[in-house]
Amino acid sequence: MTTLDAPTLARGAADLLAELGNRAEVHDLYSPAGAAVYHDMAGADTQEVRELVTLVRALPGPVLDLAAGSGRLTLPLLALGREVTALDLSETLLALLKERLAQSRGSLAERCAVVHADMRDFVLDQRFGAIVLGTSSISLLDAAGRAALYRSVRAHLLPQGRFLLTTVELHAPPGQEEAEFAFTGPSGRSYRFFERWARADGRRVVAIFPTETEAEQLTVCTTTIGVLPADLLESELTAHGFTVRSRIPLGDQSGRHRDVLMEAEVAA
């Protein structure tokens, strides 16, 4: 289980955790114990899917889905009729993806290679027309991890291939660093999502609680995520030999979270 210093949590999350006491089992969202919650949360989020699929449709060649998880983007990419490699570090999430592929119709499973590997340092025996890193997963990496990721991506892109990645920029006035949201996953389970934005060190701490808290034991998921503005990522990509061709705003740009899809290619 994860131990988390309560002062790093949003106040509402810290209060609820204290109220639950020993009934709360705290796990990292990306741990095996958190996989079911992550899978449910990702399934409730359709952000970026249409835009990524539209860009990939115009790019020839196989597709590499990095940090593929349980297949939030993998399945829509396979629906294009393409060969897709789904890569993730979590064996638990990849097992969920394999279950979904086994239950799918047609040739989806036949066209999907599932790879257990680290997106920061992977070696595959082919190159790709599109390498996708969605769900703002790049924000899970520190600067050294992102540099390693860029090197691995460059080594696996076909000529004129594209690296497609998303990030979230946070916009909130001072005094509004904390927020709470509610969501319901495809499973029908509902959750309370707490966020605390630590501006000084460019990160946000999230905590996810089940809405129903009557059970004797409850799984509470937490994780710390970097806040990576698009300008910072473009600067890093340029320094590592990429050219950013476009930035595509995603969804509502008036709220606290503003998602951006970036399209990059290896510089000539």
Side-chain angles (χ1 to χ4, degrees):
M1 291 199 307
T2 298
T3 58
L4 192 63
D5 184 14
T8 68
L9 292 171
R11 287 186 295 273
D15 291 344
L16 183 53
L17 192 61
E19 178 184 329
L20 293 174
N22 293 333
R23 293 197 296 129
E25 293 186 355
V26 182
H27 298 275
D28 188 88
L29 180 62
Y30 298 96
S31 70
V37 175
Y38 176 83
H39 175 65
D40 211 20
M41 182 177 70
D45 183 9
T46 59
Q47 184 79 285
E48 80 192 357
V49 176
R50 179 182 59 187
E51 292 84 357
L52 278 167
V53 167
T54 297
L55 288 176
V56 170
R57 182 181 286 115
L59 298 169
V63 181
L64 173 58
D65 183 13
L66 295 176
S70 56
R72 174 178 174 267
L73 297 175
T74 307
L75 295 181
L77 292 170
L78 284 165
L80 292 173
R82 310 290 282 279
E83 301 287 333
V84 178
T85 296
L87 182 150
D88 201 282
L89 189 58
S90 169
E91 292 182 299
T92 307
L93 288 173
L94 290 179
L96 289 171
L97 172 57
K98 290 177 182 178
E99 289 180 12
R100 299 179 73 187
L101 289 169
Q103 297 166 3
S104 64
R105 297 179 179 179
S107 62
L108 294 193
E110 297 172 4
R111 290 186 284 103
C112 186
V114 178
V115 177
H116 176 235
D118 190 328
M119 66 176 169
R120 294 169 294 186
D121 184 18
F122 59 91
V123 179
L124 304 175
D125 61 359
Q126 67 179 130
R127 293 183 176 234
F128 301 88
I131 297 180
V132 175
L133 179 57
T135 323
S136 303
S137 295
I138 194 166
S139 62
L140 299 173
L141 303 179
D142 60 15
R146 295 194 300 274
L149 165 74
Y150 301 144
R151 290 192 293 270
S152 293
V153 168
R154 283 195 62 185
H156 288 83
L157 274 176
L158 286 168
Q160 285 76 56
R162 300 284 190 273
F163 180 31
L164 309 174
L165 66 157
T166 57
T167 191
V168 173
E169 299 184 321
L170 284 179
H171 293 262
Q176 297 184 21
E177 287 79 6
E178 299 186 2
E180 178 184 351
F181 311 94
F183 70 93
T184 300
S187 68
R189 292 187 292 270
S190 59
Y191 304 88
R192 296 173 68 183
F193 182 102
F194 295 87
E195 174 183 89
R196 179 176 180 270
W197 177 15
R199 294 176 188 265
D201 55 8
R203 64 189 179 95
R204 54 186 175 133
V205 179
V206 302
I208 303 169
F209 293 77
T211 301
E212 300 296 330
T213 58
E214 288 78 14
E216 291 186 9
Q217 291 297 136
L218 300 166
T219 296
V220 177
C221 293
T222 66
T223 198
T224 300
I225 307 169
V227 178
L228 301 175
D231 284 345
L232 170 62
L233 287 182
E234 181 163 354
S235 175
E236 290 183 353
L237 286 163
T238 300
H240 285 85
F242 290 90
T243 297
V244 174
R245 293 175 55 91
S246 65
R247 295 190 196 180
I248 302 170
L250 301 171
D252 181 10
Q253 293 290 298
S254 64
R256 176 185 181 87
H257 300 98
R258 301 182 186 178
D259 296 69
V260 180
L261 168 58
M262 305 181 71
E263 177 188 13
E265 64 181 351
V266 177

